[in-house]
Amino acid sequence: MSIISVIFLCRNTCSSSSLSPSYFPPLLQSPCFTRVLYLKIKPSVQLWPFQKEHLKFPWFIESPSFSLEEDIQPCWNGAGLSGAKGNKVGHNNAQWRAVKKFLKLASNQDLPVFLIDPLVLEVINRDFEQVKNSSYGSVSECKYFCAKRDFTTFALMDHLLKNEENWFQIAERMGFQCLKIQSKDPRLDGIDYLSGTEIPLHYILKLTTHAIHLVIFYERSGNYLWHGQLRLKGHSDRKFVPFRKLQYGHYPGAFDRPELLQVSVDGLDVQIPKDLNHFLEEVPHSRFIECRFKEARTFFQKYHDDITVEAVLFQKNAKTLLHLAATTLKDLGVRFWLSSGTCLGRRQF
């Protein structure tokens, strides 16, 4: 880790200085700074918004060797840099920096991720009107992403996951330590020649003390979104992150497809579910119970499926009735559950 010491005076007290404010790099145009600012610069990433020519001025004391970075990590005592676009205190926060860097990666790689972290969304929901009407760069404090926690959770639809190897490599070059979790695709369990095909379920991208958890959502028949359980394989590093603290992945989950809304949160553009109340209500009740395809196939091999016209019509009508009942109760805000019957009897917990 290299360090550049940047020394400059408060513009409020040195208006007669011969140094024009235009000489200062954009990030350093603070209305009041009378101290030394230390910028910790990691090797291998381009520095922004600095340009190389900024380092030629005499008030920059350059360390013997460093590489320009895409992101800088300012650390200071006192107030943040109020001239920094998009954030005023978040630069000094590990969680905010990790989220910012991840969102930049997702944007550059055309990965339309959306925020599903219940801890963050609950706070946003309390200030929903304010957040919804805020504009990029208007933040005065880091209120949502800067709260201390181990993870921030995002989601991505599976069909939008592209160039996986490319963005994974770029993430590592940006300083992330990456872990991919994949498992068998349950949608193919009933198909002999495809059974066992693995699909990506979760990604963990760790940056220093904070990690981004990216959950991959798959659309299932029935027009709902499904995510798989996060199961570590034998060779996985179980100390990579505190997995027990993850908000998602302890079991498979199912959600209604959310309509998304673009908002500015702590100076960062991010997509969130538009109906936050509904999404947050789903989270604690999202556990998904998979169909026992193998047992069902064994049953029908032994007893044979009734494929008469009457039986097929009965099954269709039963499904339609169940769907109508579920939709009606949901619209009325009534929670419902299986209390008895064949479906419940076949499930053993």
Side-chain angles (χ1 to χ4, degrees):
M1 182 72 73
S2 305
I3 294 180
I4 298 177
S5 300
V6 185
I7 305 175
F8 57 100
L9 297 176
C10 169
R11 285 189 287 136
N12 290 349
T13 60
C14 61
S15 57
S16 60
S17 170
S18 60
L19 300 177
S20 168
S22 63
Y23 286 147
F24 289 95
L27 191 62
L28 302 184
Q29 294 185 34
S30 168
C32 186
F33 243 96
T34 57
R35 68 201 72 208
V36 177
L37 172 68
Y38 295 98
L39 302 178
K40 297 190 296 183
I41 302 186
K42 297 179 183 177
S44 79
V45 188
Q46 179 185 0
L47 181 63
W48 184 92
F50 288 86
Q51 303 296 330
K52 288 185 179 180
E53 57 265 28
H54 293 143
L55 300 175
K56 297 177 181 178
F57 298 114
W59 52 86
F60 285 96
I61 304 173
E62 182 179 339
S63 62
S65 62
F66 68 94
S67 297
L68 295 181
E69 289 229 337
E70 177 174 14
D71 252 30
I72 59 175
Q73 300 178 27
C75 53
W76 57 84
N77 296 318
L81 290 174
S82 61
K85 182 180 179 182
N87 184 68
K88 297 187 179 180
V89 299
H91 277 294
N92 200 30
N93 181 276
Q95 291 83 246
W96 187 90
R97 289 199 306 267
V99 171
K100 177 179 182 292
K101 186 166 282 195
F102 171 73
L103 290 175
K104 186 172 183 62
L105 167 69
S107 176
N108 290 342
Q109 296 301 307
D110 196 22
L111 301 173
V113 299
F114 55 99
L115 182 68
I116 60 169
D117 194 298
L119 298 179
V120 181
L121 291 178
E122 284 173 1
V123 184
I124 292 175
N125 195 36
R126 292 199 290 266
D127 306 326
F128 187 64
E129 290 302 318
Q130 177 184 343
V131 172
K132 187 172 65 173
N133 297 321
S134 64
S135 59
Y136 178 80
S138 63
V139 64
S140 59
E141 61 175 326
C142 187
K143 185 176 180 181
Y144 307 100
F145 287 129
C146 288
K148 186 165 180 59
R149 61 190 180 281
D150 295 290
F151 299 93
T152 302
T153 313
F154 289 85
L156 177 68
M157 293 299 302
D158 72 296
H159 66 278
L160 299 174
L161 179 63
K162 43 196 172 185
N163 300 323
E164 177 189 13
E165 184 176 346
N166 183 49
W167 77 260
F168 223 55
Q169 292 176 352
I170 293 175
E172 290 176 338
R173 288 202 297 269
M174 291 175 68
F176 285 106
Q177 293 176 270
C178 304
L179 176 66
K180 172 184 176 182
I181 293 93
Q182 58 184 27
S183 189
K184 295 179 181 179
D185 188 343
R187 299 170 298 178
L188 306 177
D189 274 356
I191 307 175
D192 287 334
Y193 67 93
L194 291 176
S195 182
T197 301
E198 293 200 337
I199 55 174
L201 298 178
H202 300 265
Y203 293 90
I204 307 290
L205 294 86
K206 184 171 70 170
L207 186 70
T208 60
T209 60
H210 192 71
I212 302 297
H213 179 198
L214 179 61
V215 180
I216 306 301
F217 276 150
Y218 291 82
E219 185 171 358
R220 301 285 294 262
S221 58
N223 196 32
Y224 63 91
L225 303 183
W226 169 90
H227 71 77
Q229 185 175 4
L230 193 157
R231 294 189 179 187
L232 297 176
K233 297 186 177 180
H235 63 275
S236 300
D237 180 5
R238 298 178 184 274
K239 296 182 179 180
F240 182 66
V241 291
F243 290 100
R244 292 182 180 274
K245 295 183 180 181
L246 288 171
Q247 300 291 328
Y248 296 84
H250 296 285
Y251 42 76
F255 292 83
D256 293 331
R257 179 189 293 275
E259 183 181 354
L260 300 179
L261 177 69
Q262 183 91 7
V263 294
S264 177
V265 179
D266 290 336
L268 302 175
D269 285 341
V270 62
Q271 292 190 100
I272 62 173
K274 187 174 183 178
D275 190 344
L276 280 180
N277 285 320
H278 177 65
F279 184 83
L280 290 171
E281 287 174 358
E282 283 191 294
V283 173
H285 307 286
S286 62
R287 183 167 184 169
F288 180 81
I289 300 174
E290 191 64 68
C291 175
R292 293 181 169 186
F293 292 105
K294 292 182 180 179
E295 289 87 341
R297 185 167 51 186
T298 300
F299 177 86
F300 288 124
Q301 286 174 348
K302 183 176 181 179
Y303 298 103
H304 304 291
D305 192 9
D306 189 348
I307 56 174
T308 62
V309 174
E310 293 80 5
V312 172
L313 182 60
F314 175 82
Q315 293 173 13
K316 180 181 178 181
N317 289 339
K319 290 180 180 178
T320 302
L321 181 60
L322 285 172
H323 186 268
L324 177 61
T327 302
T328 303
L329 291 172
K330 177 183 174 183
D331 290 343
L332 294 173
V334 178
R335 291 181 181 174
F336 57 94
W337 59 90
L338 293 175
S339 62
S340 62
T342 306
C343 290
L344 186 64
R346 286 292 298 166
R347 183 69 209 178
Q348 297 177 359
F349 293 94

